[in-house]
């Protein structure tokens, strides 16, 4: 038995035999040709055969994965027939070299051009050029590339990396998971595995060297673990676990269409947290009733400059349009702390979590903030937008942020640009000072959203990234629960609604407590939505409201946990 | 004959927009150039168009010359606008 660890890129468990993808050797010699016309014909005929093959792959990808995924092959076809590339190839062949050599020279030149670009996205386009040129080279050499669509038994794919054209040929019925040597959570194969809803471990470094074709293996997508030649005992335990997960997922599916309602008929909203516009699909697929947190930082990260108003407008518009009128809470930029933007050139700080971040930065660098607010306001007409400010510590900050928002709104009105009149303006409660005076905030904010990840670490003064004090990260600490109660009561006393958008909102011990405390909106990662809705449907809100009074008198986090477990049973 | 556009696609002219633009121009006979930042490329060349790295907000000029230049520019404009890639300016 052999264990390999890698990056957990897509959740789930798979048990099947290894299918090692080995690409055929496409080697050739450079030689001088005598008949230029004949060589040009040979190139032309290879291009037309490659074209037919790509069209076939595109059509089959269209059937298997839909238009979005097939689009990459429309791009490949255009690369293949790119007039600039073809005339460069012809010019090279006119220098009396063979077509293979000409192709290698020209394709490498273009691939290097893209690789040298600063933009990450453009760098990746080099892979498309190499992919197309490999296919054309195989046709020139008359070597057949393996047809992976012929896989007809259950397998786990083991490869160095997966190219777009390989993955588009894989049939979900038989391909149970991926293991790759390279790549991270956002690499092509990781994204594809999540779209196919199969487990994947990437970045194992050694998988292709240590796993042989046909070996029985297990992949555990939650823990990033690969087990090759498992013992019978381990195999059996994973088989049971896999079956249990599959059955649970089946059972949860019935909650997709059902409203989020407690056993005694009280409705709440279960929403999803997103980081990118495309994450909306997963929220809707899991029956999310809204978005409780759109972290807008992603728009600013992995790039060299601030995103323009237009770019942001398009991103917000996409999200709001897809959500089709469902409540969508967007949090304004929360950068600083552990999330850096190199191009802002912020000085390093001793205590980044207590430093210059989020609203503190936005209220000083108001141009950055105003651009985002304008983009949000302009997008507001496309859906049900609610805006909240992060890291509010004082009433002055909230007022200042709101004033900037209203200023931009008036400016847009002067420019005769439409803005929704229904936008709610709220704030995150994640600093203890804000929780303690939530009654004052609730008079001025339209809603409050409790950010538990930060609220817990600030309340217990424990950095959640520091393993040595991680025991202090206690969501059920009586102080945390009492603060949450203060916030919920303060909002309700002022006729406002209150949500929660930290990990805690989907935690099975916390959910009964939060329901009993009267929380209105639970926002969590999409994958937790159905489980939480299932749990809620079994709980009585009125009974919990009584039990919560007891819970708030308990003395420690573990007493709380124990009590809730007993109540649930 | 030429027309200018302001790019509004949130990611700029990346693979999908480039594919749409190049596909819209390819069927026509006229020669067509895309100019951005004083650099011109063949609009029928996807590599050339992508290599320009055109970001959102950029102003590009598309000039065509040939028997069907007007039809070509109309088609390009239609694709720009209906696919949300850019607006005429």
């Amino acid at each position: 038995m052999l264990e390999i660890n890698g990056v957990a890129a897509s959740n789930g468990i798979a048990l099947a035999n290894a299918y090692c993808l080995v690409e055929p050797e496409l080697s050739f010699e450079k030689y001088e040709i005598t008949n230029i016309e004949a060589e040009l014909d040979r190139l032309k005929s290879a291009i037309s055969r490659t074209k037919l093959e790509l069209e076939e792959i595109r059509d089959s990808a269209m059937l298997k994965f839909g238009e979005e995924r097939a689009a990459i092959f429309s791009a490949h076809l255009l690369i293949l027939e790119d007039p600039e590339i073809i005339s460069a190839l012809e010019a090279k062949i006119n220098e009396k070299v063979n077509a293979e050599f000409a192709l290698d020279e020209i394709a490498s030149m273009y691939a290097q051009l893209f690789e040298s670009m600063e933009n990450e996205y453009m760098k990746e386009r080099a892979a498309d050029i190499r992919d197309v040129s490999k296919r054309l080279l195989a046709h020139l050499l008359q070597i057949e590339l393996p047809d992976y669509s012929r896989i007809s038994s259950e397998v786990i794919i083991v490869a160095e990396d997966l190219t777009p054209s390989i993955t588009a040929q894989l049939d979900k019925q038989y391909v149970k998971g991926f293991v790759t040597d390279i790549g991270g959570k956002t690499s092509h194969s990781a994204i594809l595995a999540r779209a196919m809803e199969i487990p994947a471990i990437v970045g194992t470094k050694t998988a292709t060297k240590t796993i042989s074709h046909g070996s029985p293996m297990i992949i555990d997508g939650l823990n990033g673990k690969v087990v090759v030649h498992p013992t019978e005992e381990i195999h059996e335990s994973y088989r049971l676990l896999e079956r249990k997960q599959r059955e649970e997922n089946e059972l949860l599916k019935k909650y997709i269409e059902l409203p989020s309602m407690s056993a005694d008929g009280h409705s709440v909203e279960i929403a999803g947290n997103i980081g990118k516009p495309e994450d909306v699909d997963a929220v809707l697929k899991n029956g999310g009733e809204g978005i409780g947190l759109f972290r807008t930082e992603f728009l600013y990260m992995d790039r060299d400059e601030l995103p323009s108003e237009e770019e942001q407008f398009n991103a917000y518009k996409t999200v709001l349009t897809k959500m089709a009128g469902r409540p969508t809470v967007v949090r304004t930029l929360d950068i600083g702390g552990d999330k850096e933007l190199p191009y802002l050139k912020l000085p390093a700080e001793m205590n980044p979590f207590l430093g210059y971040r989020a609203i503190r930065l936005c209220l000083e660098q108001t141009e950055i903030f105003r651009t985002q607010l304008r983009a949000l306001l302009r997008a507001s007409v496309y859906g049900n937008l609610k805006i909240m400010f992060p890291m509010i510590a004082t009433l002055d900050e909230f007022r200042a942020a709101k004033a900037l928002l209203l200023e931009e709104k008036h400016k847009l009105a002067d420019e005769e640009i439409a803005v929704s009149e229904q936008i709610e303006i709220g704030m995150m409660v994640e600093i203890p000072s804000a929780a303690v005076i939530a009654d004052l905030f609730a008079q001025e904010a339209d809603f409050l959203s409790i950010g538990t990840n930060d609220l817990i670490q600030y309340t217990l003064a424990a950095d959640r990234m520091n393993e040595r004090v991680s025991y202090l990260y206690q969501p059920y600490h009586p102080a945390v629960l009492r603060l949450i109660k203060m916030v919920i009561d303060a909002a309700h006393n002022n006729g406002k609604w209150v949500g929660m958008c930290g990990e805690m909102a989907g935690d099975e011990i916390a959910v009964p407590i939060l329901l009993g405390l009267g929380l209105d909106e639970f926002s969590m990662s999409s994958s937790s939505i159905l489980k939480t809705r299932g749990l809620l449907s079994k709980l009585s809100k009125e009974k919990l409201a009584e039990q919560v009074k007891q819970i708030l008198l308990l003395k420690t986090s573990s007493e709380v946990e124990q009590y809730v477990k007993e109540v649930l049973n | 004959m030429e027309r200018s556009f302001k790019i509004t696609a949130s990611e700029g002219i990346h693979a999908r927009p480039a594919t749409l633009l190049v596909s819209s121009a390819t069927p026509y006979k006229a020669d067509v150039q895309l100019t951005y930042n004083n650099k011109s490329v063949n609009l029928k060349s996807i590599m050339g168009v992508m290599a320009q790295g055109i970001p959102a907000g950029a102003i590009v000029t598309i000039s065509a010359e040939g028997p069907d230049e007007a039809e070509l520019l109309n088609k390009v404009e239609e694709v720009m606008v209906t696919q949300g890639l850019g607006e005429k300016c």
Side-chain angles (χ1 to χ4, degrees), chain A residues 342-355:
Chain A
Y343 56 83
L344 282 187
K345 300 195 173 63
L346 298 174
E349 297 185 347
M350 288 285 283
N351 276 315
F353 278 106
L354 302 181

mmCIF file with all atom_site columns, all heavy atoms in Angstrom, chain A residues 342-355:
data_model
loop_
_atom_site.group_PDB
_atom_site.id
_atom_site.type_symbol
_atom_site.label_atom_id
_atom_site.label_alt_id
_atom_site.label_comp_id
_atom_site.label_asym_id
_atom_site.label_entity_id
_atom_site.label_seq_id
_atom_site.pdbx_PDB_ins_code
_atom_site.Cartn_x
_atom_site.Cartn_y
_atom_site.Cartn_z
_atom_site.occupancy
_atom_site.B_iso_or_equiv
_atom_site.pdbx_formal_charge
_atom_site.auth_seq_id
_atom_site.auth_comp_id
_atom_site.auth_asym_id
_atom_site.auth_atom_id
_atom_site.pdbx_PDB_model_num
ATOM 1   N N   . PRO A 1 342 ? -0.450 43.707 -4.072 1.00 0.00 ? 342 PRO A N   1
ATOM 2   C CA  . PRO A 1 342 ? 0.910  44.220 -4.265 1.00 0.00 ? 342 PRO A CA  1
ATOM 3   C C   . PRO A 1 342 ? 0.924  45.614 -4.895 1.00 0.00 ? 342 PRO A C   1
ATOM 4   O O   . PRO A 1 342 ? 1.721  46.464 -4.512 1.00 0.00 ? 342 PRO A O   1
ATOM 5   C CB  . PRO A 1 342 ? 1.545  43.193 -5.201 1.00 0.00 ? 342 PRO A CB  1
ATOM 6   C CG  . PRO A 1 342 ? 0.715  41.963 -5.054 1.00 0.00 ? 342 PRO A CG  1
ATOM 7   C CD  . PRO A 1 342 ? -0.652 42.387 -4.638 1.00 0.00 ? 342 PRO A CD  1
ATOM 8   N N   . TYR A 1 343 ? 0.008  45.858 -5.852 1.00 0.00 ? 343 TYR A N   1
ATOM 9   C CA  . TYR A 1 343 ? 0.093  47.131 -6.563 1.00 0.00 ? 343 TYR A CA  1
ATOM 10  C C   . TYR A 1 343 ? -0.336 48.337 -5.721 1.00 0.00 ? 343 TYR A C   1
ATOM 11  O O   . TYR A 1 343 ? -0.117 49.472 -6.098 1.00 0.00 ? 343 TYR A O   1
ATOM 12  C CB  . TYR A 1 343 ? -0.697 47.070 -7.879 1.00 0.00 ? 343 TYR A CB  1
ATOM 13  C CG  . TYR A 1 343 ? -2.152 46.676 -7.751 1.00 0.00 ? 343 TYR A CG  1
ATOM 14  C CD1 . TYR A 1 343 ? -3.122 47.612 -7.422 1.00 0.00 ? 343 TYR A CD1 1
ATOM 15  C CD2 . TYR A 1 343 ? -2.551 45.365 -7.959 1.00 0.00 ? 343 TYR A CD2 1
ATOM 16  C CE1 . TYR A 1 343 ? -4.453 47.261 -7.315 1.00 0.00 ? 343 TYR A CE1 1
ATOM 17  C CE2 . TYR A 1 343 ? -3.881 45.002 -7.849 1.00 0.00 ? 343 TYR A CE2 1
ATOM 18  C CZ  . TYR A 1 343 ? -4.829 45.951 -7.532 1.00 0.00 ? 343 TYR A CZ  1
ATOM 19  O OH  . TYR A 1 343 ? -6.140 45.583 -7.423 1.00 0.00 ? 343 TYR A OH  1
ATOM 20  N N   . LEU A 1 344 ? -0.970 48.095 -4.559 1.00 0.00 ? 344 LEU A N   1
ATOM 21  C CA  . LEU A 1 344 ? -1.307 49.230 -3.693 1.00 0.00 ? 344 LEU A CA  1
ATOM 22  C C   . LEU A 1 344 ? -0.114 49.663 -2.844 1.00 0.00 ? 344 LEU A C   1
ATOM 23  O O   . LEU A 1 344 ? -0.104 50.728 -2.247 1.00 0.00 ? 344 LEU A O   1
ATOM 24  C CB  . LEU A 1 344 ? -2.469 48.880 -2.767 1.00 0.00 ? 344 LEU A CB  1
ATOM 25  C CG  . LEU A 1 344 ? -3.874 48.888 -3.360 1.00 0.00 ? 344 LEU A CG  1
ATOM 26  C CD1 . LEU A 1 344 ? -4.904 48.678 -2.270 1.00 0.00 ? 344 LEU A CD1 1
ATOM 27  C CD2 . LEU A 1 344 ? -4.165 50.187 -4.093 1.00 0.00 ? 344 LEU A CD2 1
ATOM 28  N N   . LYS A 1 345 ? 0.901  48.783 -2.803 1.00 0.00 ? 345 LYS A N   1
ATOM 29  C CA  . LYS A 1 345 ? 2.145  49.076 -2.091 1.00 0.00 ? 345 LYS A CA  1
ATOM 30  C C   . LYS A 1 345 ? 1.899  49.555 -0.659 1.00 0.00 ? 345 LYS A C   1
ATOM 31  O O   . LYS A 1 345 ? 2.368  50.609 -0.235 1.00 0.00 ? 345 LYS A O   1
ATOM 32  C CB  . LYS A 1 345 ? 2.959  50.120 -2.850 1.00 0.00 ? 345 LYS A CB  1
ATOM 33  C CG  . LYS A 1 345 ? 3.331  49.665 -4.253 1.00 0.00 ? 345 LYS A CG  1
ATOM 34  C CD  . LYS A 1 345 ? 4.418  50.530 -4.866 1.00 0.00 ? 345 LYS A CD  1
ATOM 35  C CE  . LYS A 1 345 ? 4.905  49.982 -6.190 1.00 0.00 ? 345 LYS A CE  1
ATOM 36  N NZ  . LYS A 1 345 ? 3.856  49.939 -7.229 1.00 0.00 ? 345 LYS A NZ  1
ATOM 37  N N   . LEU A 1 346 ? 1.118  48.752 0.093  1.00 0.00 ? 346 LEU A N   1
ATOM 38  C CA  . LEU A 1 346 ? 0.868  49.099 1.486  1.00 0.00 ? 346 LEU A CA  1
ATOM 39  C C   . LEU A 1 346 ? 2.057  48.632 2.322  1.00 0.00 ? 346 LEU A C   1
ATOM 40  O O   . LEU A 1 346 ? 2.571  47.547 2.103  1.00 0.00 ? 346 LEU A O   1
ATOM 41  C CB  . LEU A 1 346 ? -0.404 48.403 1.974  1.00 0.00 ? 346 LEU A CB  1
ATOM 42  C CG  . LEU A 1 346 ? -1.688 48.793 1.234  1.00 0.00 ? 346 LEU A CG  1
ATOM 43  C CD1 . LEU A 1 346 ? -2.851 47.936 1.706  1.00 0.00 ? 346 LEU A CD1 1
ATOM 44  C CD2 . LEU A 1 346 ? -1.988 50.263 1.429  1.00 0.00 ? 346 LEU A CD2 1
ATOM 45  N N   . PRO A 1 347 ? 2.483  49.448 3.279  1.00 0.00 ? 347 PRO A N   1
ATOM 46  C CA  . PRO A 1 347 ? 3.621  49.021 4.107  1.00 0.00 ? 347 PRO A CA  1
ATOM 47  C C   . PRO A 1 347 ? 3.249  47.814 4.977  1.00 0.00 ? 347 PRO A C   1
ATOM 48  O O   . PRO A 1 347 ? 2.091  47.671 5.368  1.00 0.00 ? 347 PRO A O   1
ATOM 49  C CB  . PRO A 1 347 ? 3.900  50.255 4.970  1.00 0.00 ? 347 PRO A CB  1
ATOM 50  C CG  . PRO A 1 347 ? 2.661  51.071 4.922  1.00 0.00 ? 347 PRO A CG  1
ATOM 51  C CD  . PRO A 1 347 ? 1.978  50.770 3.632  1.00 0.00 ? 347 PRO A CD  1
ATOM 52  N N   . ALA A 1 348 ? 4.234  46.962 5.264  1.00 0.00 ? 348 ALA A N   1
ATOM 53  C CA  . ALA A 1 348 ? 3.979  45.808 6.130  1.00 0.00 ? 348 ALA A CA  1
ATOM 54  C C   . ALA A 1 348 ? 3.655  46.318 7.538  1.00 0.00 ? 348 ALA A C   1
ATOM 55  O O   . ALA A 1 348 ? 4.162  47.362 7.965  1.00 0.00 ? 348 ALA A O   1
ATOM 56  C CB  . ALA A 1 348 ? 5.212  44.919 6.171  1.00 0.00 ? 348 ALA A CB  1
ATOM 57  N N   . GLU A 1 349 ? 2.809  45.597 8.248  1.00 0.00 ? 349 GLU A N   1
ATOM 58  C CA  . GLU A 1 349 ? 2.405  46.049 9.581  1.00 0.00 ? 349 GLU A CA  1
ATOM 59  C C   . GLU A 1 349 ? 2.718  44.980 10.625 1.00 0.00 ? 349 GLU A C   1
ATOM 60  O O   . GLU A 1 349 ? 2.801  43.804 10.313 1.00 0.00 ? 349 GLU A O   1
ATOM 61  C CB  . GLU A 1 349 ? 0.896  46.335 9.597  1.00 0.00 ? 349 GLU A CB  1
ATOM 62  C CG  . GLU A 1 349 ? 0.487  47.456 8.660  1.00 0.00 ? 349 GLU A CG  1
ATOM 63  C CD  . GLU A 1 349 ? -0.988 47.806 8.773  1.00 0.00 ? 349 GLU A CD  1
ATOM 64  O OE1 . GLU A 1 349 ? -1.732 47.016 9.395  1.00 0.00 ? 349 GLU A OE1 1
ATOM 65  O OE2 . GLU A 1 349 ? -1.369 48.860 8.258  1.00 0.00 ? 349 GLU A OE2 1
ATOM 66  N N   . MET A 1 350 ? 2.864  45.398 11.869 1.00 0.00 ? 350 MET A N   1
ATOM 67  C CA  . MET A 1 350 ? 3.122  44.462 12.960 1.00 0.00 ? 350 MET A CA  1
ATOM 68  C C   . MET A 1 350 ? 1.903  43.589 13.203 1.00 0.00 ? 350 MET A C   1
ATOM 69  O O   . MET A 1 350 ? 1.992  42.410 13.477 1.00 0.00 ? 350 MET A O   1
ATOM 70  C CB  . MET A 1 350 ? 3.422  45.244 14.257 1.00 0.00 ? 350 MET A CB  1
ATOM 71  C CG  . MET A 1 350 ? 4.757  45.923 14.284 1.00 0.00 ? 350 MET A CG  1
ATOM 72  S SD  . MET A 1 350 ? 6.055  44.721 14.555 1.00 0.00 ? 350 MET A SD  1
ATOM 73  C CE  . MET A 1 350 ? 5.843  44.452 16.322 1.00 0.00 ? 350 MET A CE  1
ATOM 74  N N   . ASN A 1 351 ? 0.715  44.194 13.136 1.00 0.00 ? 351 ASN A N   1
ATOM 75  C CA  . ASN A 1 351 ? -0.527 43.491 13.444 1.00 0.00 ? 351 ASN A CA  1
ATOM 76  C C   . ASN A 1 351 ? -1.548 43.710 12.327 1.00 0.00 ? 351 ASN A C   1
ATOM 77  O O   . ASN A 1 351 ? -2.493 44.465 12.495 1.00 0.00 ? 351 ASN A O   1
ATOM 78  C CB  . ASN A 1 351 ? -1.132 44.048 14.741 1.00 0.00 ? 351 ASN A CB  1
ATOM 79  C CG  . ASN A 1 351 ? -0.532 43.408 15.955 1.00 0.00 ? 351 ASN A CG  1
ATOM 80  O OD1 . ASN A 1 351 ? -0.381 42.186 15.994 1.00 0.00 ? 351 ASN A OD1 1
ATOM 81  N ND2 . ASN A 1 351 ? -0.192 44.212 16.946 1.00 0.00 ? 351 ASN A ND2 1
ATOM 82  N N   . PRO A 1 352 ? -1.328 43.041 11.200 1.00 0.00 ? 352 PRO A N   1
ATOM 83  C CA  . PRO A 1 352 ? -2.178 43.362 10.042 1.00 0.00 ? 352 PRO A CA  1
ATOM 84  C C   . PRO A 1 352 ? -3.684 43.223 10.335 1.00 0.00 ? 352 PRO A C   1
ATOM 85  O O   . PRO A 1 352 ? -4.475 44.006 9.819  1.00 0.00 ? 352 PRO A O   1
ATOM 86  C CB  . PRO A 1 352 ? -1.733 42.383 8.968  1.00 0.00 ? 352 PRO A CB  1
ATOM 87  C CG  . PRO A 1 352 ? -0.798 41.434 9.619  1.00 0.00 ? 352 PRO A CG  1
ATOM 88  C CD  . PRO A 1 352 ? -0.322 42.039 10.890 1.00 0.00 ? 352 PRO A CD  1
ATOM 89  N N   . PHE A 1 353 ? -4.074 42.271 11.180 1.00 0.00 ? 353 PHE A N   1
ATOM 90  C CA  . PHE A 1 353 ? -5.505 42.098 11.444 1.00 0.00 ? 353 PHE A CA  1
ATOM 91  C C   . PHE A 1 353 ? -6.083 43.256 12.256 1.00 0.00 ? 353 PHE A C   1
ATOM 92  O O   . PHE A 1 353 ? -7.279 43.467 12.288 1.00 0.00 ? 353 PHE A O   1
ATOM 93  C CB  . PHE A 1 353 ? -5.772 40.775 12.166 1.00 0.00 ? 353 PHE A CB  1
ATOM 94  C CG  . PHE A 1 353 ? -5.817 39.616 11.216 1.00 0.00 ? 353 PHE A CG  1
ATOM 95  C CD1 . PHE A 1 353 ? -4.780 38.705 11.154 1.00 0.00 ? 353 PHE A CD1 1
ATOM 96  C CD2 . PHE A 1 353 ? -6.901 39.465 10.361 1.00 0.00 ? 353 PHE A CD2 1
ATOM 97  C CE1 . PHE A 1 353 ? -4.823 37.647 10.254 1.00 0.00 ? 353 PHE A CE1 1
ATOM 98  C CE2 . PHE A 1 353 ? -6.945 38.421 9.458  1.00 0.00 ? 353 PHE A CE2 1
ATOM 99  C CZ  . PHE A 1 353 ? -5.906 37.502 9.411  1.00 0.00 ? 353 PHE A CZ  1
ATOM 100 N N   . LEU A 1 354 ? -5.191 43.973 12.944 1.00 0.00 ? 354 LEU A N   1
ATOM 101 C CA  . LEU A 1 354 ? -5.643 45.126 13.723 1.00 0.00 ? 354 LEU A CA  1
ATOM 102 C C   . LEU A 1 354 ? -5.252 46.424 13.024 1.00 0.00 ? 354 LEU A C   1
ATOM 103 O O   . LEU A 1 354 ? -5.248 47.486 13.620 1.00 0.00 ? 354 LEU A O   1
ATOM 104 C CB  . LEU A 1 354 ? -5.018 45.098 15.124 1.00 0.00 ? 354 LEU A CB  1
ATOM 105 C CG  . LEU A 1 354 ? -5.288 43.850 15.966 1.00 0.00 ? 354 LEU A CG  1
ATOM 106 C CD1 . LEU A 1 354 ? -4.628 43.979 17.341 1.00 0.00 ? 354 LEU A CD1 1
ATOM 107 C CD2 . LEU A 1 354 ? -6.778 43.612 16.143 1.00 0.00 ? 354 LEU A CD2 1
ATOM 108 N N   . GLY A 1 355 ? -4.906 46.319 11.751 1.00 0.00 ? 355 GLY A N   1
ATOM 109 C CA  . GLY A 1 355 ? -4.317 47.473 11.093 1.00 0.00 ? 355 GLY A CA  1
ATOM 110 C C   . GLY A 1 355 ? -5.179 48.110 10.021 1.00 0.00 ? 355 GLY A C   1
ATOM 111 O O   . GLY A 1 355 ? -6.404 48.151 10.118 1.00 0.00 ? 355 GLY A O   1
#
